[in-house]
PDB file of all heavy atoms in Angstrom:
ATOM      1  N   MET A 200       3.042 -13.737  24.400  1.00 98.00           N
ATOM      2  CA  MET A 200       2.093 -12.520  24.203  1.00 98.00           C
ATOM      3  C   MET A 200       1.156 -12.400  25.459  1.00 98.00           C
ATOM      4  O   MET A 200       0.796 -11.470  25.947  1.00 98.00           O
ATOM      5  CB  MET A 200       1.262 -12.753  22.894  1.00 98.00           C
ATOM      6  CG  MET A 200       2.128 -12.398  21.692  1.00 98.00           C
ATOM      7  SD  MET A 200       1.324 -12.496  20.214  1.00 98.00           S
ATOM      8  CE  MET A 200      -0.004 -11.150  20.297  1.00 98.00           C
ATOM      9  N   MET A 201       0.780 -13.659  25.969  1.00 98.00           N
ATOM     10  CA  MET A 201      -0.144 -13.723  27.144  1.00 98.00           C
ATOM     11  C   MET A 201       0.660 -13.000  28.360  1.00 98.00           C
ATOM     12  O   MET A 201       0.042 -12.325  29.136  1.00 98.00           O
ATOM     13  CB  MET A 201      -0.595 -15.065  27.415  1.00 98.00           C
ATOM     14  CG  MET A 201      -1.588 -15.563  26.261  1.00 98.00           C
ATOM     15  SD  MET A 201      -2.028 -17.345  26.433  1.00 98.00           S
ATOM     16  CE  MET A 201      -3.278 -17.211  27.854  1.00 98.00           C
ATOM     17  N   ASP A 202       1.900 -13.352  28.502  1.00 98.00           N
ATOM     18  CA  ASP A 202       2.650 -12.794  29.649  1.00 98.00           C
ATOM     19  C   ASP A 202       2.584 -11.395  29.487  1.00 98.00           C
ATOM     20  O   ASP A 202       2.523 -10.582  30.516  1.00 98.00           O
ATOM     21  CB  ASP A 202       4.017 -13.389  29.673  1.00 98.00           C
ATOM     22  CG  ASP A 202       4.189 -14.807  30.119  1.00 98.00           C
ATOM     23  OD1 ASP A 202       3.064 -15.328  30.737  1.00 98.00           O
ATOM     24  OD2 ASP A 202       5.255 -15.543  29.906  1.00 98.00           O
ATOM     25  N   LEU A 203       3.035 -10.865  28.295  1.00 98.00           N
ATOM     26  CA  LEU A 203       3.051  -9.395  28.117  1.00 98.00           C
ATOM     27  C   LEU A 203       1.811  -8.642  28.250  1.00 98.00           C
ATOM     28  O   LEU A 203       1.827  -7.526  28.757  1.00 98.00           O
ATOM     29  CB  LEU A 203       3.575  -9.120  26.591  1.00 98.00           C
ATOM     30  CG  LEU A 203       5.066  -9.661  26.443  1.00 98.00           C
ATOM     31  CD1 LEU A 203       5.379  -9.500  24.819  1.00 98.00           C
ATOM     32  CD2 LEU A 203       6.151  -8.776  27.188  1.00 98.00           C
ATOM     33  N   GLN A 204       0.784  -9.367  27.970  1.00 98.00           N
ATOM     34  CA  GLN A 204      -0.578  -8.853  28.207  1.00 98.00           C
ATOM     35  C   GLN A 204      -0.898  -8.594  29.561  1.00 98.00           C
ATOM     36  O   GLN A 204      -1.314  -7.543  30.033  1.00 98.00           O
ATOM     37  CB  GLN A 204      -1.674  -9.780  27.645  1.00 98.00           C
ATOM     38  CG  GLN A 204      -3.031  -9.384  27.836  1.00 98.00           C
ATOM     39  CD  GLN A 204      -4.050 -10.092  27.120  1.00 98.00           C
ATOM     40  OE1 GLN A 204      -4.116 -11.366  27.226  1.00 98.00           O
ATOM     41  NE2 GLN A 204      -4.849  -9.477  26.273  1.00 98.00           N
ATOM     42  N   GLN A 205      -0.412  -9.629  30.467  1.00 97.00           N
ATOM     43  CA  GLN A 205      -0.595  -9.421  32.021  1.00 97.00           C
ATOM     44  C   GLN A 205       0.239  -8.287  32.363  1.00 97.00           C
ATOM     45  O   GLN A 205      -0.233  -7.455  33.298  1.00 97.00           O
ATOM     46  CB  GLN A 205      -0.060 -10.736  32.605  1.00 97.00           C
ATOM     47  CG  GLN A 205      -0.998 -11.863  32.526  1.00 97.00           C
ATOM     48  CD  GLN A 205      -2.313 -11.673  33.364  1.00 97.00           C
ATOM     49  OE1 GLN A 205      -2.100 -11.278  34.422  1.00 97.00           O
ATOM     50  NE2 GLN A 205      -3.425 -11.979  32.742  1.00 97.00           N
ATOM     51  N   GLU A 206       1.496  -8.228  31.888  1.00 96.00           N
ATOM     52  CA  GLU A 206       2.399  -7.209  32.457  1.00 96.00           C
ATOM     53  C   GLU A 206       2.095  -5.810  32.121  1.00 96.00           C
ATOM     54  O   GLU A 206       2.164  -4.907  32.868  1.00 96.00           O
ATOM     55  CB  GLU A 206       3.852  -7.620  31.994  1.00 96.00           C
ATOM     56  CG  GLU A 206       4.891  -6.739  32.645  1.00 96.00           C
ATOM     57  CD  GLU A 206       6.285  -7.180  32.298  1.00 96.00           C
ATOM     58  OE1 GLU A 206       6.562  -8.312  31.855  1.00 96.00           O
ATOM     59  OE2 GLU A 206       7.127  -6.298  32.436  1.00 96.00           O
ATOM     60  N   PHE A 207       1.665  -5.720  30.845  1.00 96.00           N
ATOM     61  CA  PHE A 207       1.397  -4.281  30.446  1.00 96.00           C
ATOM     62  C   PHE A 207      -0.051  -3.913  30.253  1.00 96.00           C
ATOM     63  O   PHE A 207      -0.382  -2.942  29.642  1.00 96.00           O
ATOM     64  CB  PHE A 207       2.107  -4.106  29.038  1.00 96.00           C
ATOM     65  CG  PHE A 207       3.613  -4.241  29.170  1.00 96.00           C
ATOM     66  CD1 PHE A 207       4.232  -5.289  28.522  1.00 96.00           C
ATOM     67  CD2 PHE A 207       4.402  -3.349  29.914  1.00 96.00           C
ATOM     68  CE1 PHE A 207       5.678  -5.459  28.575  1.00 96.00           C
ATOM     69  CE2 PHE A 207       5.828  -3.416  29.976  1.00 96.00           C
ATOM     70  CZ  PHE A 207       6.396  -4.508  29.338  1.00 96.00           C
ATOM     71  N   GLY A 208      -1.024  -4.854  30.538  1.00 97.00           N
ATOM     72  CA  GLY A 208      -2.369  -4.596  30.427  1.00 97.00           C
ATOM     73  C   GLY A 208      -2.837  -4.331  29.077  1.00 97.00           C
ATOM     74  O   GLY A 208      -3.772  -3.634  28.674  1.00 97.00           O
ATOM     75  N   LEU A 209      -2.258  -5.131  28.044  1.00 98.00           N
ATOM     76  CA  LEU A 209      -2.441  -4.917  26.729  1.00 98.00           C
ATOM     77  C   LEU A 209      -3.801  -5.566  26.237  1.00 98.00           C
ATOM     78  O   LEU A 209      -4.280  -6.498  26.807  1.00 98.00           O
ATOM     79  CB  LEU A 209      -1.447  -5.598  25.913  1.00 98.00           C
ATOM     80  CG  LEU A 209       0.005  -5.134  26.025  1.00 98.00           C
ATOM     81  CD1 LEU A 209       1.021  -6.077  25.462  1.00 98.00           C
ATOM     82  CD2 LEU A 209       0.143  -3.719  25.426  1.00 98.00           C
ATOM     83  N   SER A 210      -4.418  -4.893  25.211  1.00 98.00           N
ATOM     84  CA  SER A 210      -5.520  -5.521  24.508  1.00 98.00           C
ATOM     85  C   SER A 210      -5.109  -6.074  23.196  1.00 98.00           C
ATOM     86  O   SER A 210      -4.377  -5.303  22.461  1.00 98.00           O
ATOM     87  CB  SER A 210      -6.678  -4.377  24.371  1.00 98.00           C
ATOM     88  OG  SER A 210      -6.987  -3.924  25.623  1.00 98.00           O
ATOM     89  N   TYR A 211      -5.620  -7.168  22.858  1.00 98.00           N
ATOM     90  CA  TYR A 211      -5.183  -7.750  21.536  1.00 98.00           C
ATOM     91  C   TYR A 211      -6.404  -8.137  20.656  1.00 98.00           C
ATOM     92  O   TYR A 211      -7.453  -8.582  21.076  1.00 98.00           O
ATOM     93  CB  TYR A 211      -4.497  -9.096  21.748  1.00 98.00           C
ATOM     94  CG  TYR A 211      -3.142  -9.184  22.457  1.00 98.00           C
ATOM     95  CD1 TYR A 211      -2.774 -10.153  23.299  1.00 98.00           C
ATOM     96  CD2 TYR A 211      -2.156  -8.218  22.264  1.00 98.00           C
ATOM     97  CE1 TYR A 211      -1.706 -10.181  23.969  1.00 98.00           C
ATOM     98  CE2 TYR A 211      -0.904  -8.259  22.699  1.00 98.00           C
ATOM     99  CZ  TYR A 211      -0.676  -9.332  23.731  1.00 98.00           C
ATOM    100  OH  TYR A 211       0.542  -9.308  24.267  1.00 98.00           O
ATOM    101  N   LEU A 212      -6.150  -7.748  19.350  1.00 98.00           N
ATOM    102  CA  LEU A 212      -7.022  -8.363  18.351  1.00 98.00           C
ATOM    103  C   LEU A 212      -6.067  -9.263  17.649  1.00 98.00           C
ATOM    104  O   LEU A 212      -5.067  -8.938  17.056  1.00 98.00           O
ATOM    105  CB  LEU A 212      -7.523  -7.204  17.264  1.00 98.00           C
ATOM    106  CG  LEU A 212      -8.296  -7.877  16.139  1.00 98.00           C
ATOM    107  CD1 LEU A 212      -9.717  -8.344  16.592  1.00 98.00           C
ATOM    108  CD2 LEU A 212      -8.504  -6.829  15.007  1.00 98.00           C
ATOM    109  N   PHE A 213      -6.461 -10.585  17.831  1.00 98.00           N
ATOM    110  CA  PHE A 213      -5.474 -11.636  17.443  1.00 98.00           C
ATOM    111  C   PHE A 213      -6.152 -12.433  16.307  1.00 98.00           C
ATOM    112  O   PHE A 213      -7.142 -13.147  16.335  1.00 98.00           O
ATOM    113  CB  PHE A 213      -5.239 -12.593  18.588  1.00 98.00           C
ATOM    114  CG  PHE A 213      -4.155 -13.609  18.349  1.00 98.00           C
ATOM    115  CD1 PHE A 213      -2.850 -13.307  18.852  1.00 98.00           C
ATOM    116  CD2 PHE A 213      -4.280 -14.719  17.635  1.00 98.00           C
ATOM    117  CE1 PHE A 213      -1.879 -14.284  18.770  1.00 98.00           C
ATOM    118  CE2 PHE A 213      -3.430 -15.671  17.383  1.00 98.00           C
ATOM    119  CZ  PHE A 213      -1.994 -15.407  17.899  1.00 98.00           C
ATOM    120  N   VAL A 214      -5.598 -12.272  15.035  1.00 97.00           N
ATOM    121  CA  VAL A 214      -6.183 -12.835  13.827  1.00 97.00           C
ATOM    122  C   VAL A 214      -5.566 -14.279  13.516  1.00 97.00           C
ATOM    123  O   VAL A 214      -4.389 -14.335  13.688  1.00 97.00           O
ATOM    124  CB  VAL A 214      -5.976 -11.812  12.732  1.00 97.00           C
ATOM    125  CG1 VAL A 214      -6.374 -12.505  11.242  1.00 97.00           C
ATOM    126  CG2 VAL A 214      -6.652 -10.572  12.923  1.00 97.00           C
ATOM    127  N   ALA A 215      -6.332 -15.085  13.126  1.00 95.00           N
ATOM    128  CA  ALA A 215      -5.814 -16.472  12.709  1.00 95.00           C
ATOM    129  C   ALA A 215      -6.836 -17.176  11.730  1.00 95.00           C
ATOM    130  O   ALA A 215      -8.064 -16.715  11.717  1.00 95.00           O
ATOM    131  CB  ALA A 215      -5.551 -17.223  13.897  1.00 95.00           C
ATOM    132  N   HIS A 216      -6.388 -18.006  10.943  1.00 91.00           N
ATOM    133  CA  HIS A 216      -7.314 -18.689  10.038  1.00 91.00           C
ATOM    134  C   HIS A 216      -7.810 -20.004  10.671  1.00 91.00           C
ATOM    135  O   HIS A 216      -8.615 -20.795  10.146  1.00 91.00           O
ATOM    136  CB  HIS A 216      -6.784 -18.925   8.730  1.00 91.00           C
ATOM    137  CG  HIS A 216      -5.545 -19.602   8.546  1.00 91.00           C
ATOM    138  ND1 HIS A 216      -4.281 -19.046   8.445  1.00 91.00           N
ATOM    139  CD2 HIS A 216      -5.223 -21.035   8.653  1.00 91.00           C
ATOM    140  CE1 HIS A 216      -3.376 -19.962   8.637  1.00 91.00           C
ATOM    141  NE2 HIS A 216      -3.851 -21.127   8.586  1.00 91.00           N
ATOM    142  N   ASP A 217      -7.269 -20.187  11.941  1.00 89.00           N
ATOM    143  CA  ASP A 217      -7.471 -21.618  12.580  1.00 89.00           C
ATOM    144  C   ASP A 217      -7.995 -21.324  13.971  1.00 89.00           C
ATOM    145  O   ASP A 217      -7.341 -20.648  14.801  1.00 89.00           O
ATOM    146  CB  ASP A 217      -6.126 -22.241  12.487  1.00 89.00           C
ATOM    147  CG  ASP A 217      -6.206 -23.684  13.099  1.00 89.00           C
ATOM    148  OD1 ASP A 217      -6.988 -23.998  14.060  1.00 89.00           O
ATOM    149  OD2 ASP A 217      -5.312 -24.486  12.734  1.00 89.00           O
ATOM    150  N   LEU A 218      -9.169 -21.950  14.210  1.00 93.00           N
ATOM    151  CA  LEU A 218      -9.768 -21.744  15.562  1.00 93.00           C
ATOM    152  C   LEU A 218      -8.877 -22.330  16.701  1.00 93.00           C
ATOM    153  O   LEU A 218      -8.699 -21.799  17.836  1.00 93.00           O
ATOM    154  CB  LEU A 218     -11.047 -22.448  15.700  1.00 93.00           C
ATOM    155  CG  LEU A 218     -12.307 -21.594  15.396  1.00 93.00           C
ATOM    156  CD1 LEU A 218     -13.528 -22.471  15.330  1.00 93.00           C
ATOM    157  CD2 LEU A 218     -12.468 -20.488  16.452  1.00 93.00           C
ATOM    158  N   GLY A 219      -8.076 -23.382  16.362  1.00 90.00           N
ATOM    159  CA  GLY A 219      -7.297 -23.977  17.351  1.00 90.00           C
ATOM    160  C   GLY A 219      -6.166 -22.991  17.835  1.00 90.00           C
ATOM    161  O   GLY A 219      -5.795 -23.074  19.056  1.00 90.00           O
ATOM    162  N   VAL A 220      -5.603 -22.094  16.985  1.00 91.00           N
ATOM    163  CA  VAL A 220      -4.630 -21.220  17.365  1.00 91.00           C
ATOM    164  C   VAL A 220      -5.085 -20.211  18.308  1.00 91.00           C
ATOM    165  O   VAL A 220      -4.277 -19.775  19.225  1.00 91.00           O
ATOM    166  CB  VAL A 220      -4.098 -20.571  15.997  1.00 91.00           C
ATOM    167  CG1 VAL A 220      -3.187 -19.418  16.419  1.00 91.00           C
ATOM    168  CG2 VAL A 220      -3.256 -21.591  15.204  1.00 91.00           C
ATOM    169  N   VAL A 221      -6.293 -19.716  18.200  1.00 95.00           N
ATOM    170  CA  VAL A 221      -6.814 -18.622  18.984  1.00 95.00           C
ATOM    171  C   VAL A 221      -7.430 -19.162  20.290  1.00 95.00           C
ATOM    172  O   VAL A 221      -7.589 -18.322  21.218  1.00 95.00           O
ATOM    173  CB  VAL A 221      -7.909 -17.776  18.375  1.00 95.00           C
ATOM    174  CG1 VAL A 221      -7.317 -17.172  17.048  1.00 95.00           C
ATOM    175  CG2 VAL A 221      -9.147 -18.514  18.154  1.00 95.00           C
ATOM    176  N   GLU A 222      -7.582 -20.420  20.454  1.00 94.00           N
ATOM    177  CA  GLU A 222      -8.317 -20.905  21.622  1.00 94.00           C
ATOM    178  C   GLU A 222      -7.520 -20.613  22.978  1.00 94.00           C
ATOM    179  O   GLU A 222      -8.218 -20.046  23.897  1.00 94.00           O
ATOM    180  CB  GLU A 222      -8.426 -22.427  21.611  1.00 94.00           C
ATOM    181  CG  GLU A 222      -9.269 -22.993  22.721  1.00 94.00           C
ATOM    182  CD  GLU A 222      -9.403 -24.483  22.844  1.00 94.00           C
ATOM    183  OE1 GLU A 222      -8.852 -25.118  21.830  1.00 94.00           O
ATOM    184  OE2 GLU A 222     -10.232 -25.016  23.668  1.00 94.00           O
ATOM    185  N   HIS A 223      -6.277 -20.785  22.969  1.00 93.00           N
ATOM    186  CA  HIS A 223      -5.554 -20.529  24.243  1.00 93.00           C
ATOM    187  C   HIS A 223      -5.466 -19.036  24.613  1.00 93.00           C
ATOM    188  O   HIS A 223      -5.719 -18.716  25.773  1.00 93.00           O
ATOM    189  CB  HIS A 223      -4.133 -21.048  24.040  1.00 93.00           C
ATOM    190  CG  HIS A 223      -3.287 -21.280  25.302  1.00 93.00           C
ATOM    191  ND1 HIS A 223      -4.001 -21.919  26.464  1.00 93.00           N
ATOM    192  CD2 HIS A 223      -2.194 -20.773  25.670  1.00 93.00           C
ATOM    193  CE1 HIS A 223      -3.012 -21.827  27.509  1.00 93.00           C
ATOM    194  NE2 HIS A 223      -1.975 -21.165  27.055  1.00 93.00           N
TER     195      HIS A 223
END
Side-chain angles (χ1 to χ4, degrees):
M200 287 183 68
M201 291 173 73
D202 289 346
L203 295 169
Q204 177 168 58
Q205 287 288 319
E206 184 172 343
F207 298 113
L209 298 168
S210 304
Y211 292 142
L212 178 67
F213 191 102
V214 172
H216 56 262
D217 182 330
L218 267 172
V220 167
V221 301
E222 183 180 6
H223 192 50

